[in-house]
Amino acid sequence: MRKHFLNLELLIPIALGLFSMCYIAGTSFYYLSFTNIDWFISGVSNSDLETHWLGWNFFRNSSFLQFPLLANNSYGEGLNISLVHTDSIPLLGLLFKPFAEVLPNNFQYFGLWILISNILHSIFAFRLTRLYTNDLVICSVVTLFFLFAPIFYMRIFAQPAIGSQWLILGAIFLYSLNKTNYKEWIILLILSVLINVYLFIMIFIFFTIFLLRIYLQKKDTILNLFKVFFSVGTILILTMWLLGYFSVGMGLQEGGFGFYKMNLNSFFDPKALYELHSRIIPDLPSPPVHTHGDYEGFAFPGIGVLISSLIAIFFLFFKNNVSVNRSYFLPLIMMSALLFIFAVSNIISFGNTVLFEYPVPFFFEWVADLFRSSARFIWPVYYLIYIGTFYVLIKSISIKKLRYLLIALFLLQIYDTGLATDAIRNRMVNFDNHWERTAKWTNPIKDPVWKSFSIKYKKIKYVLPTNKPKNYFPLALYASNNNMITNFGYFSRRDLEKEKVIKKNLRESILSATYDLDSIYYFEDDELWEAVKRNRKDSDYIKIVDNFRIFAPDYYKN
């Protein structure tokens, strides 16, 4: 009997994860094809997945044995970019790298990761609920609520790395176990390092309060817990150093804290960046997305969870039949309060109104500069609200009544979020007309001369480079497919001082007509394009090719 239950404990969440994928993303499964990149190419630079994939497409051509392990020097030459700085899911990049020579062109693993993440999200949600009830129906419905959590499904199909929020559920699960499980924590922490740095920091915060919980429960001495903290911290820092997290130097502190922040109406505003996640609750007044980054703090739980939370609050405060373990809840409450303060940043807004601002304390500036998208740190609080809500309901309502209640509320959640899930399904199934396209994206680089460029030259230089410059994708795609080096790209972090030096040196070389003979140049800068035309030699190639202004020094020279 026990063996049978354990099988169900795995099979049920797998089935639920697959169901949610089919419902939200449709049943075409084009995105699972390892050679299909059409589903995430926008052609208008609105898909972050483009550069996530480009990071991998450059990385697959890099040396197998190198330091750092994830160095991606061909993508953004001189900036010391690593695979972690393009959010390319380094875990899969490392796993597939040994097979790069035999993998097909346009190989992508993001569809596979979406599948894995949905299943893991489902498994951890199911196991978390199993800590509080043995009823399979309740466990299954609660798991579906987690799979249809708006912050999960809106991210996982568009930004699979940061959408790997099963890591947060895994951390809450480990925290909730009544045992000292350091080995499992280290595995989860290293996995998070290999997936996304924001999620890693969240998991490390959970690990820290887990140690605090052990201390409050008097299961270990404070000296031993400090030893564990610094030992694990040392392992993680060395791992990040080996992978290349610190290769961009001061570029890690890019600034921007207070822009990508959480609005105080985020828990009740159903509008995310593109989709409206409620048919019932209207879009609340919020700052426009092209001038403000409040959309990063989207934390609408869905109408079903909102109603569940109100019922849970009633039972918690008026029935008072839920026992509270101080040593368990105190660290979670402290963490949630601090994360909330960090998420809303130092600019406190409600809707379109800035309520007040305060200067960031000088000792806190370096943290704020590291994690400019502070709004994302509301996610652990969001999932704790989910778990806390269902925990109270499980402890307060009979199994039979709770089954009917949760099923009804989940169906309401499905209906209410239908506008958003329909939009995502249309994007994943009909990828010929999404990401603001009107037809399937076609590569504008068609002229046969591009082939000769890839034979004669090793690099392509953008004049002048910046982060995510105009027309970057087709040029970077061309470079990565031909094992060429670029001085441009789209990166989550880069060294701004190095970028200034690169631009200064490039500008001077163009004006003085001292070109790198192993490079072709693409000109977006009008002034420098005129300069290179004035200084051209007979052996140089200068022409508008497929609407790209191209200069190739000594192209006609034997």
Side-chain angles (χ1 to χ4, degrees), residues 344-356:
V344 298
S345 82
N346 63 318
I347 304 174
I348 315 302
S349 301
F350 187 86
N352 288 318
T353 303
V354 175
L355 300 179
F356 63 93

Side-chain angles (χ1 to χ4, degrees), residues 366-377:
W366 68 275
V367 177
D369 288 340
L370 279 173
F371 304 104
R372 59 180 180 175
S373 188
S374 66
R376 295 176 179 178
F377 285 90

Side-chain angles (χ1 to χ4, degrees), residues 65-295:
L65 296 176
Q66 59 178 355
F67 179 80
L69 290 175
L70 297 176
N72 213 4
N73 296 322
S74 294
Y75 193 30
E77 184 184 29
L79 295 174
N80 298 331
I81 297 299
S82 165
L83 197 62
V84 300
H85 303 128
T86 51
D87 242 5
S88 304
I89 312 177
L91 175 64
L92 291 190
L94 284 173
L95 289 176
F96 284 109
K97 177 70 177 292
F99 312 102
E101 291 296 325
V102 297
L103 293 176
N105 292 333
N106 292 340
F107 178 83
Q108 64 90 12
Y109 47 64
F110 297 100
L112 172 65
W113 189 251
I114 290 173
L115 172 64
I116 292 171
S117 289
N118 270 274
I119 290 175
L120 288 175
H121 200 77
S122 184
I123 289 173
F124 278 115
F126 193 90
R127 295 193 69 185
L128 261 171
T129 313
R130 273 276 292 119
L131 295 176
Y132 312 121
T133 179
N134 289 326
D135 188 81
L136 293 182
V137 175
I138 292 175
C139 289
S140 298
V141 180
V142 171
T143 297
L144 285 170
F145 271 109
F146 278 94
L147 288 165
F148 283 80
I151 70 164
F152 172 64
Y153 66 70
M154 70 162 284
R155 292 279 183 177
I156 192 60
F157 293 103
Q159 297 170 308
I162 196 67
S164 307
Q165 294 164 11
W166 54 268
L167 290 164
I168 301 174
L169 300 187
I172 300 172
F173 176 73
L174 291 182
Y175 179 89
S176 301
L177 295 178
N178 191 26
K179 61 179 182 179
T180 307
N181 43 352
Y182 296 139
K183 180 180 178 181
E184 290 89 343
W185 275 109
I186 292 173
I187 291 172
L188 189 68
L189 284 162
I190 291 177
L191 277 175
S192 63
V193 167
L194 287 165
I195 295 171
N196 178 269
V197 67
Y198 277 92
L199 292 171
F200 159 67
I201 295 301
M202 295 176 200
I203 308 312
F204 189 76
I205 291 171
F206 269 110
F207 175 67
T208 302
I209 67 164
F210 171 74
L211 297 179
L212 175 59
R213 178 194 167 192
I214 291 175
Y215 172 71
L216 292 176
Q217 293 177 329
K218 303 186 186 307
K219 290 185 177 181
D220 208 341
T221 66
I222 192 167
L223 179 60
N224 286 337
L225 292 175
F226 268 114
K227 288 179 180 178
V228 171
F229 179 84
F230 286 110
S231 297
V232 173
T234 300
I235 292 170
L236 294 171
I237 289 173
L238 286 174
T239 301
M240 297 174 78
W241 175 66
L242 287 170
L243 294 176
Y245 267 89
F246 312 123
S247 62
V248 294
M250 294 304 294
L252 286 172
Q253 294 178 294
E254 195 164 283
F257 180 73
F259 182 80
Y260 297 108
K261 61 183 176 61
M262 177 187 173
N263 197 296
L264 291 180
N265 71 2
S266 293
F267 283 114
F268 310 101
D269 187 359
K271 182 64 181 293
L273 180 58
Y274 296 115
E275 301 95 2
L276 183 66
H277 292 261
S278 178
R279 286 188 167 108
I280 299 172
I281 299 178
D283 178 19
L284 301 181
S286 295
V289 297
H290 60 278
T291 56
H292 294 75
D294 293 32
Y295 60 85

Side-chain angles (χ1 to χ4, degrees), residues 3 18 83 95 102 259 329 345 354 368 380-381 423 442 448 478 491 514 527 536:
K3 183 178 180 181
L18 293 174
L83 197 62
L95 289 176
V102 297
F259 182 80
F329 286 104
S345 82
V354 175
V381 182
T442 56
Y478 163 75
F491 315 113
T514 53
E527 176 197 354
R536 66 168 297 183

Side-chain angles (χ1 to χ4, degrees), residues 479-498:
S480 63
N481 284 339
N482 289 281
N483 203 13
M484 298 175 74
I485 298 170
T486 73
N487 68 339
F488 63 92
Y490 180 18
F491 315 113
S492 63
R493 292 292 185 274
R494 70 207 192 279
D495 191 322
L496 297 179
E497 292 304 315
K498 281 189 176 180

